[in-house]
Amino acid sequence: MSKPTLGIIGGGQLGSLLCSAAKKLKIKTIIFSDDQNAPAQNFSDGFIYGKYDDPNKINEFINQVNIITYEFENIPFKTLDEIDKKKSVLPKPSINKIIQHRLAEKDFINNLKIRTTRYIYVDKRSQIENAKDLLPGLLKTTTLGYDGKGQFFLNNIESVKDLDINFSKGYILEKLVELKKEISIIITRFDEKKYEIYEPIENLHEDQILKHSRIPADISNKILEQSKLWSIRLAEELKFIGTMCVEFFIDKNDNLYVNEIAPRVHNSGHLTINAFNISQFENHIRAVCKLEQIPIKKISNAKMINLIGDQISAYRKKNYASNEFFFDYFKKEIKQKRKMGHLTTLI
Ligand code: ADP
Ligand code: MG
């Protein structure tokens, strides 16, 4: 059977890294993005620029590919669903619908008796004033948030008065967890009870943006086992096909909470490119294109640093040792808080 052509919606660094992994497997990729400068076009075989609700552009895209996947979760559900009627979209749009809405996502996780932070839905200021036990807390938009965007820290009831936001958009108020540590698990599910799961990755955020990741995570065996079991359960319940990520909090008393699910490859898994025989990107391609599932094996422990904003300039000039792997995302413009590249070091 000839190899399929894979369509990828979204053209950021995750798209680029998916394209590189596909190339290794001799699978052609077409990127569809609403950003004319999308960096992934430097790595793909084809590129279509268009709005995510432009039926002509969407059709042009569909006609060039056999299977469709996506590299970010904030694509309108309607778009994904319409595409899915003509060409198979994996992971299924119904999964994305749950996960792109923070309330639906948290309810889904809680209904499985998997612990999350305490939260309530909020669309009026007075609801926060009546939920003092959730303060200090974080108010998060239900949709379209990433890298801490659309989040407001509320220290006490006084800070609620100063909030200048449109409540009717819908938010969740979430109790602040006293964090000891954050970890994530990357899992690629191929079929029922068929998956490859990477060991937990320890993550450090700065200003709510991921800055450092490393394996092995310095965690107890109990947390290791629990986080894996919960990730497998979530992937199975969602009937997920492809790579997904579960982000966890660990509090000062060693309680584990699921923070959120990313229905896609994830920044914390960049180190899998160099530290494993098969990366999260390659596994995603293998799962959605129905290629062989190969057991993952760790080659080395590793750490990764995200290069954000201006920081990239110095790294572009450096020389690297053989255990260091520098990735430049070739974004057109350097912007503050923008992820510009990363460096993985095998340790
Ligand atoms: P995003 O969708 O922007 O990734 P997250 O909900 O994952 O949003 O929040 C980003 C980061 O902010 C988390 O990784 C964590 O460091 C911090 N954070 C978010 N919610 C909480 C919370 N309830 N308690 C403590 N820290 C939090
Ligand atoms: Mg997050």
Side-chain angles (χ1 to χ4, degrees), residues 24-189:
K24 205 180 129 193
L25 297 167
K26 300 202 165 49
I27 285 186
K28 281 215 170 80
T29 49
I30 313 276
I31 292 283
F32 179 44
S33 171
D34 66 354
D35 172 7
Q36 204 158 8
N37 298 318
Q41 65 190 285
N42 300 311
F43 299 84
S44 64
D45 298 289
F47 176 63
I48 293 171
Y49 161 62
K51 297 281 165 244
Y52 294 133
D53 56 4
D54 179 340
N56 293 328
K57 288 289 168 185
I58 291 173
N59 272 331
E60 189 185 330
F61 174 62
I62 294 176
N63 289 335
Q64 291 186 29
V65 301
N66 305 105
I67 299 168
I68 292 163
T69 189
Y70 44 93
E71 61 102 71
F72 77 116
E73 56 268 49
N74 292 327
I75 307 155
F77 170 70
K78 226 180 121 222
T79 303
L80 279 188
D81 201 42
E82 285 300 316
I83 297 176
D84 193 40
K85 286 179 189 146
K86 297 177 187 153
K87 286 262 162 82
S88 166
V89 175
L90 289 171
K92 285 283 153 227
S94 54
I95 296 175
N96 200 52
K97 191 178 182 191
I98 300 174
I99 293 176
Q100 72 177 199
H101 194 278
R102 274 192 211 275
L103 181 68
E105 178 190 25
K106 278 217 162 44
D107 286 348
F108 163 75
I109 301 167
N110 267 283
N111 286 338
L112 298 174
K113 306 260 182 301
I114 292 177
R115 193 187 299 119
T116 66
T117 56
R118 285 171 52 214
Y119 63 95
I120 53 164
Y121 177 72
V122 168
D123 57 10
K124 287 187 203 74
R125 192 180 300 264
S126 59
Q127 289 162 324
I128 308 182
E129 287 157 358
N130 293 328
K132 289 194 193 72
D133 57 325
L134 290 180
L135 301 179
L138 277 152
L139 194 66
K140 302 181 178 180
T141 52
T142 46
T143 53
L144 302 176
Y146 71 99
D147 285 347
K149 290 187 178 71
Q151 295 193 10
F152 306 89
F153 174 68
L154 299 179
N155 197 19
N156 50 38
I157 214 76
E158 287 307 303
S159 44
V160 181
K161 296 202 177 83
D162 305 331
L163 269 181
D164 182 20
I165 55 172
N166 175 9
F167 276 95
S168 65
K169 267 178 35 188
Y171 290 83
I172 64 165
L173 173 64
E174 195 179 301
K175 189 156 176 72
L176 190 76
V177 174
E178 274 197 76
L179 292 178
K180 177 176 164 189
K181 216 162 261 222
E182 290 185 70
I183 58 169
S184 57
I185 291 221
I186 311 267
I187 177 166
T188 308
R189 183 174 175 277

Side-chain angles (χ1 to χ4, degrees), residues 270-299:
H270 287 0
L271 52 73
T272 62
I273 299 173
N274 309 103
F276 284 82
N277 61 333
I278 297 189
S279 73
Q280 63 162 347
F281 302 99
E282 180 174 338
N283 262 331
H284 183 71
I285 313 269
R286 284 181 178 279
V288 301
C289 295
K290 313 259 179 280
L291 306 182
E292 188 192 356
Q293 178 187 347
I294 297 174
I296 54 167
K297 267 203 299 275
K298 181 158 79 168
I299 296 164

Side-chain angles (χ1 to χ4, degrees), residues 102 146-148 151 182 205 208 247 259-260 264 266:
R102 274 192 211 275
Y146 71 99
D147 285 347
Q151 295 193 10
E182 290 185 70
H205 292 75
Q208 285 148 307
E247 298 180 12
N259 170 29
E260 60 175 352
R264 51 167 172 79
H266 192 260

